[in-house]
Amino acid sequence: GENVEQHPSTLSVQEGDSAVIKCTYSDSASNYFPWYKQELGKGPQLIIDIRSNVGEKKDQRIAVTLNKTAKHFSLHITETQPEDSAVYFCAASRGGGSNYKLTFGKGTLLTVNP
Amino acid sequence: GAGVSQSPSNKVTEKGKDVELRCDPISGHTALYWYRQSLGQGLEFLIYFQGNSAPDKSGLPSDRFSAERTGGSVSTLTIQRTQQEDSAVYLCASRAGSTGGNYEQYFGPGTRLTVT
């Protein structure tokens, strides 16, 4: 089955700096890669996703890049703000071939210091 | 519009008792998932429902776990004879499903289960 590795497990940055979280996956058939943000006591919130037919996607201060050959994808947050502090999860899915089930990384605790 | 809702938000139960957790998906979403989030194992898939198709139960950890989805909407996850290792946050997600490659899953706030 799919295996998703996520690094780092914790990340501390100063407000205004950039943050980068990286994930690798094992199943070359995976074709959908979402990122979720989870705040304390809440469910995961989808913040951005990318499909395997594109290499990069951007939405305001967040962007995701995908390297299918190397089987890794990354989340980039620019101009970080204290409200970006949360746990971030990457995930991978094979789409219809696996009922769109998500396999998650272990999460990254991002702390943005004011 | 309304998102995925789950109840109860917290549940404390004694070892050996049965519990039922409820999920109301986003209106119109045909696909529904249960995941479990625990400290040691992260976020794990449990079970998947799509319309009237047979559910994908491949993630259920033991036969003490079962789930049903009535009328293609509300789902209930039942854990029988609870054990301490069942303590976790149980998350429900829904997806628009049908055709067109709708991949996005939207999660509810979860039910925190504590087995004492």
Side-chain angles (χ1 to χ4, degrees):
Chain A
E2 175 67 279
N3 182 52
V4 177
E5 299 282 342
Q6 182 172 346
H7 299 280
S9 56
T10 62
L11 179 59
S12 181
V13 300
Q14 288 299 121
E15 182 176 359
D17 287 351
S18 294
V20 180
I21 303 170
K22 299 182 178 182
C23 290
T24 60
Y25 60 99
S26 62
D27 187 350
S28 56
S30 288
N31 60 4
Y32 174 65
F33 307 93
W35 286 88
Y36 287 86
K37 174 183 180 183
Q38 188 173 30
E39 296 174 326
L40 200 60
K42 297 185 178 180
Q45 176 194 3
L46 179 66
I47 57 172
I48 195 168
D49 57 12
I50 192 168
R51 302 195 188 185
S52 60
N53 56 348
V54 298
E56 183 173 1
K57 184 176 178 180
K58 196 171 183 179
D59 182 3
Q60 298 182 8
R61 294 186 299 108
I62 59 174
V64 57
T65 60
L66 170 65
N67 183 327
K68 282 169 34 181
T69 302
K71 295 208 283 280
H72 65 69
F73 57 112
S74 300
L75 177 71
H76 305 252
I77 306 174
T78 59
E79 301 171 23
T80 53
Q81 300 166 5
E83 50 266 38
D84 294 330
S85 297
V87 179
Y88 291 80
F89 291 94
C90 63
S93 169
R94 294 180 65 190
S98 68
N99 292 327
Y100 301 88
K101 290 180 287 189
L102 295 173
T103 301
F104 286 88
K106 295 292 188 188
T108 297
L109 174 61
L110 174 64
T111 303
V112 180
N113 302 298
Chain B
V4 178
S5 60
Q6 293 186 244
S7 60
S9 54
N10 283 283
K11 177 72 176 178
V12 181
T13 190
E14 292 180 352
K15 177 182 172 180
K17 294 284 179 70
D18 298 352
V19 295
E20 284 190 353
L21 313 178
R22 175 188 169 107
C23 171
D24 280 89
I26 293 171
S27 178
H29 279 196
T30 60
L32 185 149
Y33 301 78
W34 284 96
Y35 292 87
R36 178 170 70 174
Q37 184 171 30
S38 56
L39 280 175
Q41 300 299 321
L43 272 152
E44 306 171 282
F45 164 79
L46 296 177
I47 189 168
Y48 161 71
F49 295 91
Q50 170 61 61
N52 295 320
S53 302
D56 176 352
K57 305 179 183 179
S58 60
L60 294 179
S62 79
D63 58 9
R64 296 185 296 105
F65 288 71
S66 63
E68 63 178 20
R69 189 177 185 193
T70 55
S73 181
V74 171
S75 177
T76 302
L77 177 69
T78 301
I79 309 173
Q80 295 179 309
R81 305 181 302 282
T82 51
Q83 303 295 312
Q84 288 186 329
E85 60 262 29
D86 300 334
S87 295
V89 175
Y90 290 82
L91 292 159
C92 177
S94 72
R95 181 174 62 83
S98 66
T99 59
N102 296 302
Y103 287 78
E104 297 84 0
Q105 292 185 31
Y106 299 94
F107 282 81
T111 294
R112 179 174 296 278
L113 175 67
T114 304
V115 182
T116 61

